[in-house]
Amino acid sequence: MLITNRFHIHFSPKENSGGNTASPNKRNQDNTVKNLGDANRSETLKTEYTEDIPAGGEQKKRIKQTFKGTRINGGVAIGDAYVFQKTLPNVSPDEISDTDEEFRKLSNAIARVIDELDELINARNTSISKEEAAIFEAHKLIISDPELVKEVRSAIASQHMSAAFVWRETISRYIALYKNAPGKLMAERAADVLDAGMRVLSHLTGIPIDRPDSDKPVVLITDELSPSDTAILNPDHIVGLICEKGSETSHSGILIKSLGIPAVFGVNDILGSVNNTDACILDGDNGMLYINPDSDQLELMQRRRDNWLKSQKMADAGKNSTVFTKTGERIHVLANVSEPKHVEQALGRGAEGIGLYRTEFLYMGRSQAPDEQEQYEVYRQAVELMNGKTVTFRTIDIGGDKPVGYLSIQKEENPFLGWRGIRFSLEQTEVFTTQLRALLRASAHGPLHIMFPMIAIPEEWRKSVSIVEQVKRDLQRENIPFDENIQLGIMVEVPSAAIRIQDFLEEVDFVSIGTNDLTQYIMAADRMNTRVAALASYHQPAVLDLIEMVIKACIQKDVPVSMCGEMARDTEVTERLLEMGLRSFSMSASGIPAFKLHLLGDDA
């Protein structure tokens, strides 16, 4: 069986593929309106028309098309289509006589790829983050997995085939298994297996890996971009990105956010409907792709692109501004980060504090947990970088979409409703206590708050606080300094905590609303499943009502409340949230300048 989680993959040699993958077929409907998926919100509108464009002395027919997908990055991109689809190269089934030589080739190829990935992770001139590095650490685990290597070696010996051929066939089979696996998270890992496996195959065959590149501005259209491809994209040439698959939380989705180019994922059947050199307009703000637009539409969208580029410059100029409501109340704009490097970037974007520091990424992409001293150094660095501005650390949120292999978390049928967040920490008290010691020690260097994730009932909060108090007593006995008045709070992301928020407000120092998980739990809709994307939306009245209830309850009890989900940066709902009374918004650093510009422009 093939077992997977986000940063660790385990292969078993007894799994059979049983999965067929077929490339998309070209659609040739004329004057046809076709909904490609009411369930997943991917729509296509096609109208064939004729343009007076010389093409071999004849008029050239083009198909005007409109596609809708899921927004990953906003903005407008204009350029020719560049259709790119990566597949494993064919390898001839060469028989061999020296199996030991093939074993040596396999071992050398894997070792060379591990060296390449280490170089990519550790190179001084790279801007790769801890979160991004964890992805490539996972690729090392994929190709060096003992059972995968054992399976390939066994096939080489029994079939007397070359290492290249056997590796190619084995990886191809596992890619098919991933693509046909139930659950979107499982299916998204196919890109990681392809990416890592292709690196090894390149060394075995000598065939260079085909990478997407262009010498002019293009809109890249692909099935799913691998992490390696995403990491080397040149935003001067690849001005926009469209993917048939993937999501905001897929590995390519994580990496593409750092590039800042317009991107839309989950666009069904795009590869079978678009040709290279088709004219493209990508509207990242609305998740739209226009193929072969007419001149009026092109002119309109060019103005939008010009305005977008202009607004980016204006936003950058005003990123350090202080923003207020119309009545003069201060609005606090904070950043969500995952490591000290992100803290520096957040400061450069105008962050007034860190509203969410995701500590779990320190645990990922490695073979054992970070010890207390390592954690202390990382947390201290983040606090010192903020120079007096508050950093709110969320304790380890392991499980769900962020499992860690060495912690031996068992596979669950529904990990988002399982053993994760504070549930994990309260049972794994050694891991939890080590982290709390490091956080408390770091609090001696500047304002630091601690926030507990996935709190569902008051008993979980109180047990967490009791462990903090015990750690405090231990540090006092050891004469280790810390902030004895450190602020402790909860993330409200479980509906039970939101509905019964009054049960917490007499005890907590602050509340942060995590809208990403709260939304999917309220609506019983997986936020990574495009088929239920319309349900998994914070625009749903039930979500808005519950958020408003939490905000107003906190205000009534004079408990500071902030928001740290994707909703916090969405300027379409900012006015509604301000009307509810929210005054603290925490978001990815890249969204801060535009968010402040919106408030400054509207004189909020």
Side-chain angles (χ1 to χ4, degrees):
M1 183 176 183
L2 182 64
I3 304 170
T4 180
N5 59 38
R6 187 170 182 177
F7 290 101
H8 177 68
I9 294 177
H10 175 71
F11 295 92
S12 174
K14 297 182 180 179
E15 185 71 65
N16 292 318
S17 172
N20 296 320
T21 56
S23 60
N25 295 319
K26 178 75 175 176
R27 268 64 171 178
N28 295 310
Q29 300 98 324
D30 295 344
N31 302 313
T32 300
V33 177
K34 181 176 177 63
N35 188 335
L36 290 183
D38 293 330
N40 62 13
R41 303 178 68 200
S42 178
E43 302 175 33
T44 307
L45 172 66
K46 302 184 179 183
T47 306
E48 186 178 281
Y49 66 100
T50 302
E51 289 186 347
D52 292 321
I53 300 175
E58 299 178 357
Q59 286 183 323
K60 183 177 181 179
K61 285 188 176 182
R62 290 178 180 266
I63 301 177
K64 181 180 179 181
Q65 305 173 83
T66 301
F67 292 87
K68 181 171 178 60
T70 301
R71 165 185 169 159
I72 301 298
N73 276 348
V76 177
I78 298 175
D80 286 345
Y82 170 30
V83 180
F84 176 83
Q85 189 168 15
K86 178 179 287 188
T87 58
L88 289 168
N90 291 324
V91 179
S92 60
D94 297 330
E95 293 189 12
I96 54 93
S97 58
D98 189 347
T99 56
D100 288 339
E101 175 63 14
E102 298 306 304
F103 293 163
R104 184 190 63 80
K105 290 179 181 178
L106 177 65
S107 298
N108 287 346
I110 292 172
R112 290 177 68 181
V113 172
I114 290 175
D115 288 342
E116 287 176 1
L117 293 171
D118 282 336
E119 184 176 345
L120 178 61
I121 293 166
N122 299 319
R124 293 181 179 179
N125 63 343
T126 185
S127 59
I128 194 169
S129 69
K130 189 80 175 179
E131 186 176 6
E132 294 162 352
I135 294 169
F136 296 109
E137 291 283 0
H139 287 196
K140 290 164 58 179
L141 295 176
I142 292 172
I143 62 173
S144 61
D145 186 280
E147 293 201 29
L148 171 63
V149 174
K150 179 181 178 181
E151 178 179 354
V152 173
R153 288 170 62 94
S154 177
I156 291 171
S158 63
Q159 299 173 19
H160 298 287
M161 291 292 179
S162 68
F165 176 78
V166 174
W167 179 266
R168 196 263 182 211
E169 294 303 297
T170 305
I171 291 298
S172 178
R173 179 160 54 87
Y174 280 119
I175 291 170
L177 283 168
Y178 266 93
K179 287 182 176 179
N180 290 283
K184 191 168 184 63
L185 186 64
M186 290 275 284
E188 286 176 352
R189 294 293 77 84
D192 293 292
V193 178
L194 174 61
D195 196 7
M198 189 170 284
R199 283 181 176 270
V200 175
L201 189 60
S202 177
H203 284 291
L204 288 171
T205 63
I207 300 173
I209 299 175
D210 191 19
R211 301 288 189 194
D213 196 13
S214 174
D215 56 2
K216 64 177 183 179
V218 294
V219 174
L220 176 62
I221 298 176
T222 185
D223 52 350
E224 183 173 20
L225 206 61
S226 74
S228 292
D229 291 335
T230 309
I232 64 171
L233 284 186
N234 183 346
D236 292 332
H237 297 162
I238 308 297
V239 297
L241 173 64
I242 292 287
C243 289
E244 278 194 346
K245 304 170 186 173
S247 70
E248 189 173 19
T249 53
S250 66
H251 287 170
S252 54
I254 293 170
L255 292 167
I256 201 66
K257 281 183 172 294
S258 64
L259 289 178
I261 63 173
V264 174
F265 285 7
V267 183
N268 283 356
D269 289 348
I270 185 68
L271 289 174
S273 305
V274 178
N275 298 308
N276 279 321
T277 74
D278 277 345
C280 291
I281 298 174
L282 174 56
D283 177 0
D285 295 323
N286 298 302
M288 303 296 294
L289 173 65
Y290 304 98
I291 304 296
N292 297 319
D294 57 40
S295 57
D296 289 341
Q297 188 178 30
L298 182 60
E299 182 180 352
L300 173 65
M301 296 302 289
Q302 184 62 60
R303 287 199 299 269
R304 274 196 56 195
R305 176 170 171 79
D306 292 341
N307 289 337
W308 173 62
L309 294 173
K310 181 180 178 181
S311 68
Q312 284 189 311
K313 292 181 180 178
M314 291 174 60
D316 190 63
K319 64 189 178 184
N320 292 317
S321 301
T322 302
V323 289
F324 300 88
T325 66
K326 293 175 182 178
T327 57
E329 293 179 80
R330 174 77 179 272
I331 300 172
H332 300 277
V333 186
L334 315 173
N336 302 337
V337 303
S338 304
E339 61 170 309
K341 181 176 183 176
H342 291 168
V343 173
E344 293 182 88
Q345 295 170 352
L347 285 170
R349 294 280 191 164
E352 300 162 10
I354 302 301
L356 171 63
Y357 190 114
R358 305 179 185 92
T359 62
E360 57 270 14
F361 287 102
L362 182 57
Y363 292 75
M364 294 177 176
R366 55 195 300 159
S367 59
Q368 61 183 17
D371 62 21
E372 178 185 329
Q373 187 61 26
E374 180 183 354
Q375 291 188 61
Y376 162 70
E377 294 292 347
V378 170
Y379 304 151
R380 177 186 58 79
Q381 184 183 0
V383 170
E384 290 180 342
L385 283 169
M386 289 306 293
N387 194 27
K389 298 175 181 177
T390 300
V391 182
T392 299
F393 289 88
R394 180 177 69 189
T395 58
I396 183 172
D397 188 13
I398 293 299
D401 65 332
K402 298 185 292 291
V404 172
Y406 60 82
L407 292 176
S408 300
I409 298 175
Q410 297 297 314
K411 184 179 183 293
E412 297 176 317
E413 288 299 321
N414 193 337
F416 288 99
L417 298 180
W419 195 50
R420 61 172 297 196
I422 201 64
R423 301 168 186 177
F424 167 85
S425 295
L426 291 178
E427 289 193 33
Q428 298 293 313
T429 53
E430 184 177 351
V431 174
F432 194 33
T433 299
T434 298
Q435 180 176 43
L436 290 174
R437 283 180 61 91
L439 286 168
L440 284 166
R441 288 172 59 195
S443 72
H445 301 275
L448 183 157
H449 295 173
I450 297 176
M451 177 166 62
F452 305 118
M454 283 292 292
I455 294 288
I457 56 178
E459 287 74 16
E460 291 173 327
W461 153 257
R462 291 168 188 149
K463 189 172 180 181
S464 300
V465 172
S466 70
I467 295 175
V468 173
E469 292 302 319
Q470 180 58 55
V471 173
K472 284 183 177 181
R473 289 191 290 272
D474 292 342
L475 293 175
Q476 287 170 339
R477 281 195 298 270
E478 298 169 37
N479 293 318
I480 296 176
F482 64 92
D483 179 7
E484 298 196 12
N485 297 311
I486 193 168
Q487 301 282 289
L488 305 177
I490 61 171
M491 280 193 75
V492 173
E493 50 192 338
V494 179
S496 61
I499 294 168
R500 300 289 301 180
I501 189 64
Q502 296 286 356
D503 295 343
F504 295 91
L505 295 181
E506 296 294 337
E507 302 175 34
V508 301
D509 294 317
F510 65 91
V511 165
S512 181
I513 303 172
T515 58
N516 296 345
D517 277 339
L518 181 62
T519 297
Q520 73 170 351
Y521 292 144
I522 292 173
M523 301 307 301
D526 183 355
R527 60 188 170 98
M528 293 190 293
N529 187 339
T530 56
R531 288 192 168 188
V532 294
L535 282 173
S537 167
Y538 47 71
H539 294 284
Q540 291 286 349
V543 179
L544 291 169
D545 287 351
L546 198 52
I547 288 172
E548 182 172 16
M549 187 184 79
V550 172
I551 292 172
K552 290 187 173 179
C554 290
I555 293 172
Q556 185 179 25
K557 292 292 186 178
D558 199 27
V559 174
V561 57
S562 66
M563 178 177 288
C564 62
E566 281 300 309
M567 187 179 185
R569 67 177 289 177
D570 186 350
T571 54
E572 291 185 7
V573 295
T574 302
E575 295 305 317
R576 176 75 183 271
L577 293 172
L578 289 172
E579 290 171 1
M580 294 179 186
L582 189 66
R583 297 293 182 266
S584 181
F585 299 75
S586 189
M587 62 197 69
S588 59
S590 61
I592 291 175
F595 183 81
K596 287 189 175 184
L597 178 65
H598 171 77
L599 294 175
L600 290 167
D602 289 351
D603 192 24

